[in-house]
Amino acid sequence: MQKKINKIDYKKSTEYFRQCSKQGYMPSTNALISMCMSGLIDKTPIFEECLSSLKGLAYSGNIDAIRRVGNIYYEGIGTTRDYTEALSWYEKAAKLGDVWSRNRLGEMYRDGKGTNVDLEKAYDVFTKLIENFFSFINKFIRI
């Protein structure tokens, strides 16, 4: 018996994702970005909408969106790679407690991406990461 495989209507999917993205639904924005990057849809106008939507979420304090905007600039996804801009977004996310952004921030200070090499700042960032990790672990383990 042969299975019927449904073809995905990318045009229709794109419109649904765009509507949800404009309303601030981040998974739809991420889906659109993935579709753009894989070449399934024309990325220029849609990517600009996605970045605008992510920035709106980021300005409202959404840590995941702040990190994602940083990633976009760090990797140059759909835009020019801009380490200085990425550093700015990672700093915002790190201040809100995002561990992943704090790690990337330490790497950028260490490697001089978006800033001058600053090993002292990198050390401080990594030390704070370790301290937070042990503080977190100690909540669950009694030594």
Side-chain angles (χ1 to χ4, degrees), residues 62-106:
N62 183 310
I63 295 174
D64 292 332
I66 296 169
R67 180 187 339 103
R68 182 76 161 145
V69 173
N71 291 344
I72 286 169
Y73 285 112
Y74 185 88
E75 300 292 338
I77 300 170
T79 187
T80 305
R81 180 174 286 183
D82 186 341
Y83 290 130
T84 305
E85 187 70 18
L87 184 77
S88 169
W89 287 99
Y90 289 138
E91 285 174 336
K92 291 172 187 171
K95 284 179 185 173
L96 293 172
D98 186 58
V99 174
W100 193 95
S101 295
R102 188 169 285 146
N103 185 65
R104 177 59 61 89
L105 199 57

Side-chain angles (χ1 to χ4, degrees), residues 81-132:
R81 180 174 286 183
D82 186 341
Y83 290 130
T84 305
E85 187 70 18
L87 184 77
S88 169
W89 287 99
Y90 289 138
E91 285 174 336
K92 291 172 187 171
K95 284 179 185 173
L96 293 172
D98 186 58
V99 174
W100 193 95
S101 295
R102 188 169 285 146
N103 185 65
R104 177 59 61 89
L105 199 57
E107 292 171 354
M108 293 178 80
Y109 287 133
R110 180 196 65 203
D111 300 339
K113 291 183 175 179
T115 185
N116 294 325
V117 171
D118 191 335
L119 297 179
E120 195 170 310
K121 267 189 178 177
Y123 178 82
D124 290 343
V125 169
F126 289 134
T127 300
K128 180 112 171 135
L129 259 173
I130 292 167
E131 288 170 356
N132 288 345

Side-chain angles (χ1 to χ4, degrees), residues 13 15 37 39-40 43 53 57 72 101 106 111 120 128-130 140:
S13 298
E15 284 311 308
M37 298 318 300
L40 295 172
K43 64 181 173 182
S53 178
L57 289 168
I72 286 169
S101 295
D111 300 339
E120 195 170 310
K128 180 112 171 135
L129 259 173
I130 292 167
F140 298 99

